[in-house]
Amino acid sequence: MPELNLLPPERLTPARLRIEILSGLTVALALVPEAVAFAFVAGVHPLVGLYAAFLVGLITAVIGGRPGMISGATGALAVVMVALVAQHGVEYLFATVVLMGMLQIFAGVMRWGKFIRLVPHPVMLGFVNGLAIVIFLAQMSQFKVPGSMEASGQGVAGGAWLSGLPLYTMLALVALTMGIIWVMPKITRVVPAPLAGIGIVAALVIGFGIDVPRVGDLASIQGGLPSLHIPMVPLTYETLQIILPYAVILAAIGLIESLLTLNLVGEMTGTRGGASQECIAQGIANTVTGFFGGMGGCAMIGQSMINVKSGGRTRVAGIAAALFLLSFILFASPMIELIPLAALVGVMFMVVIGTFAWNSLTILARVPKTDAFVIILVTIVTVYEDLAVAVVVGVIVSALAYAWNNARRIHSKSYLTPEGARVYQVQGPLFFGSAEGFGEMFDIENDPQTVIVDFADSRVVDQSALQAIEALAGKYEALGKRIQLRHLSRDCHRLLKKAGHLMVDSDDDPDYALAVNYGVRTGILGGH
């Protein structure tokens, strides 16, 4: 397990502590409707979502990979959970969350978090754009007439759309909140702008008795402390068959979203590292949450943006957010339930504006067409499918585009020596994508009796490349022509079987490792 960095990046002076605590309070207020809404999506009681937000948020704040990140119950996980809950019940969900956490801990111990580096920048742009759109669309349910959870299973989403004066009032309050958040930093930074927006609008609504949807219209958030609860499922192979597929999917989605958010927060705060530590923290948090009746969670990009832009830079903000959320559940639910949803929607709309990579719209015409396609593709798939699928699709498309571009780079220069031998100077990488093009560079039938293939400006990458060299040598030898292979790496010397005797050793041979399976080299390269 990597060493935990529990110290903040700067001293906790009284001024810094005030900023961190107020930032945590702002995040906690924004967490309430999100956690309740995602609980409805998953088909569980609101407290199951709130407990998850508290436990996952607290544990990841203490031992997570990056101070400033906020974790909790998320929609990306909830949409996967709904089928499990509908078919097997909430106890199977708790068991799945425990297994999900164990898988994430294993991924962290194996240091698989480093593979997030393989996500290209166009995929990151598509990710933030897609998440911004998802956050925006998620707020649309707040513009509906409050309906009963029992009737609709979706809380506010179950009612009809607001219209007339209620709609105009809601829009006016949302606009007022956004205006306060925009203006507040120009006046003072003593109070985080989102918290000021929520407080002022809530005071106006409560003071003047304005009739608009409030947090209490979603559901009551009153409850007790989360208690230890062993998932009530049979410990059988059949249970494992049910929960394992869901656990794998949830673990993958949770880690991908958390690690991408980790990178995004890192760019904003100028911090680096912590990927494997974040995997372990997410795993521990979900394992504990599953044993305390929570629905599990992962990093929340919206709340993380609120925290960072409110000034949260240390672990104190995340810890404070979790503790504030718990205090809401235990003591302050009557007050929190009076907060107008319009104020929280306004905060989230400002998050959307700040999260969306607006510069990506201007660079689409200037970047390579493949990159532009990946940005748009990942954005669309994130909105219509889910984040994990979008990132995987984006990475695959980017990898294929990279392979195709490199495949087109291979070419050769040829000339005749005074002795009458034809020399081919291969340039560009030789791998599975360029192997066919490599074979087409040679005029085997018309070449002289002696042919020299020089790989000084090339690099042999994989088994397909080795096979292409073997095939080329076989074609020349079949016509009785002599071929020499020069400037191949030591790996090639060991792995080439048929053409091994054709290589010419020299002091300036390159030395690099090939991406091949040594265990099967005889079967593949030996012609069997």
Side-chain angles (χ1 to χ4, degrees):
M1 180 173 176
E3 182 180 353
L4 299 182
N5 176 20
L6 298 180
L7 296 175
E10 50 188 298
R11 290 182 62 240
L12 279 176
T13 62
R16 165 53 52 186
L17 192 60
R18 175 183 55 78
I19 293 173
E20 297 292 327
I21 292 176
L22 291 178
S23 180
L25 176 58
T26 308
V27 170
L29 291 172
L31 274 171
V32 173
E34 297 277 302
V36 172
F38 295 145
F40 285 143
V41 170
V44 297
H45 193 278
L47 282 176
V48 175
L50 291 167
Y51 286 154
F54 161 63
L55 290 169
V56 174
L58 179 63
I59 294 172
T60 55
V62 174
I63 63 173
R66 183 146 304 160
M69 274 180 59
I70 302 296
S71 296
T74 63
L77 299 182
V79 295
V80 177
M81 297 171 177
V82 61
L84 174 64
V85 175
Q87 294 179 25
H88 303 284
V90 70
E91 294 295 333
Y92 278 83
L93 172 61
F94 297 150
T96 301
V97 171
V98 171
L99 182 56
M100 161 194 174
M102 293 178 178
L103 292 175
Q104 291 176 327
I105 294 172
F106 179 76
V109 171
M110 298 299 293
R111 308 185 77 82
W112 288 348
K114 61 186 177 184
F115 290 111
I116 202 67
R117 302 172 189 168
L118 298 178
V119 178
H121 188 64
V123 176
M124 281 292 295
L125 288 177
F127 156 73
V128 295
N129 289 350
L131 259 293
I133 295 172
V134 169
I135 293 171
F136 174 80
L137 294 176
Q139 306 313 307
M140 293 299 99
S141 63
Q142 314 301 351
F143 289 89
K144 292 186 174 183
V145 178
S148 68
M149 183 178 70
E150 293 79 13
S152 67
Q154 297 179 346
V156 172
W161 289 100
L162 292 173
S163 61
L165 183 60
L167 175 61
Y168 300 141
T169 305
M170 181 85 167
L171 290 173
L173 292 174
V174 170
L176 176 60
T177 305
M178 296 175 68
I180 294 171
I181 294 173
W182 181 69
V183 171
M184 195 69 182
K186 306 178 189 302
I187 301 173
T188 179
R189 294 185 178 271
V190 173
V191 177
L195 181 59
I198 295 172
I200 293 172
V201 173
L204 288 174
V205 169
I206 296 171
F208 289 97
I210 301 174
D211 186 18
V212 290
R214 308 191 187 193
V215 171
D217 294 324
L218 287 174
S220 173
I221 66 169
Q222 186 173 6
L225 285 170
S227 56
L228 181 64
H229 173 79
I230 306 298
M232 302 297 291
V233 297
L235 298 178
T236 61
Y237 179 69
E238 287 72 22
T239 299
L240 182 63
Q241 285 182 308
I242 293 171
I243 67 174
L244 181 59
Y246 286 101
V248 171
I249 295 171
L250 292 170
I253 294 174
L255 289 184
I256 290 173
E257 184 160 357
S258 297
L259 294 175
L260 290 178
T261 304
L262 183 102
N263 284 350
L264 193 61
V265 171
E267 290 179 6
M268 297 180 67
T269 60
T271 53
R272 298 176 58 188
S276 296
Q277 182 174 329
E278 183 64 28
C279 293
I280 294 174
Q282 292 287 336
I284 294 173
N286 282 306
T287 302
V288 172
T289 301
F291 282 120
F292 280 85
M295 62 183 283
C298 63
M300 306 181 75
I301 185 171
Q303 276 65 24
S304 296
M305 294 302 100
I306 292 174
N307 185 45
V308 171
K309 293 180 179 179
S310 296
R313 293 291 184 275
T314 74
R315 299 187 185 277
V316 173
I319 295 171
L323 295 179
F324 274 125
L325 184 60
L326 179 62
S327 69
F328 297 163
I329 298 171
L330 297 178
F331 312 115
S333 58
M335 293 176 55
I336 301 303
E337 290 170 9
L338 293 177
I339 294 175
L341 290 174
L344 301 175
V345 170
V347 171
M348 298 311 295
F349 278 176
M350 292 301 286
V351 169
V352 169
I353 294 172
T355 301
F356 195 91
W358 300 100
N359 65 318
S360 64
L361 300 178
T362 60
I363 67 173
L364 285 177
R366 301 199 302 267
V367 299
K369 292 181 179 179
T370 303
D371 288 349
F373 174 73
V374 169
I375 293 172
I376 297 172
L377 177 66
V378 173
T379 300
I380 293 173
V381 177
T382 299
V383 173
Y384 287 98
E385 191 60 37
D386 63 56
L387 171 65
V389 173
V391 171
V392 170
V393 168
V395 170
I396 290 174
V397 172
S398 298
L400 291 175
Y402 174 80
W404 175 252
N405 290 333
N406 276 278
R408 294 189 300 171
R409 285 174 52 198
I410 196 164
H411 62 283
S412 68
K413 296 179 181 179
S414 67
Y415 62 89
L416 285 171
T417 66
E419 293 79 15
R422 170 72 67 183
V423 177
Y424 286 93
Q425 292 180 317
V426 182
Q427 297 179 330
L430 179 55
F431 66 112
F432 69 90
S434 60
E436 184 175 351
F438 169 78
E440 295 172 352
M441 294 190 308
F442 301 90
D443 188 1
I444 299 173
E445 293 185 359
N446 298 319
D447 276 340
Q449 286 301 112
T450 301
V451 175
I452 300 171
V453 184
D454 190 344
F455 291 89
D457 296 324
S458 179
R459 180 167 181 142
V460 180
V461 177
D462 57 13
Q463 290 176 336
S464 296
L466 294 173
Q467 186 61 46
I469 297 172
E470 296 274 25
L472 177 69
K475 291 176 181 178
Y476 275 111
E477 289 194 323
L479 295 178
K481 297 182 179 182
R482 181 168 173 262
I483 179 173
Q484 294 180 359
L485 308 175
R486 293 181 175 175
H487 294 115
L488 284 168
S489 74
R490 299 291 186 267
D491 263 3
C492 293
H493 286 237
R494 290 196 300 270
L495 292 171
L496 284 172
K497 294 301 181 182
K498 286 184 180 179
H501 64 286
L502 304 175
M503 286 187 289
V504 177
D505 286 315
S506 61
D507 293 335
D508 59 346
D509 282 343
D511 188 14
Y512 51 78
L514 274 68
V516 298
N517 186 343
Y518 286 80
V520 297
R521 65 175 185 261
T522 302
I524 292 179
L525 301 177
H528 297 297

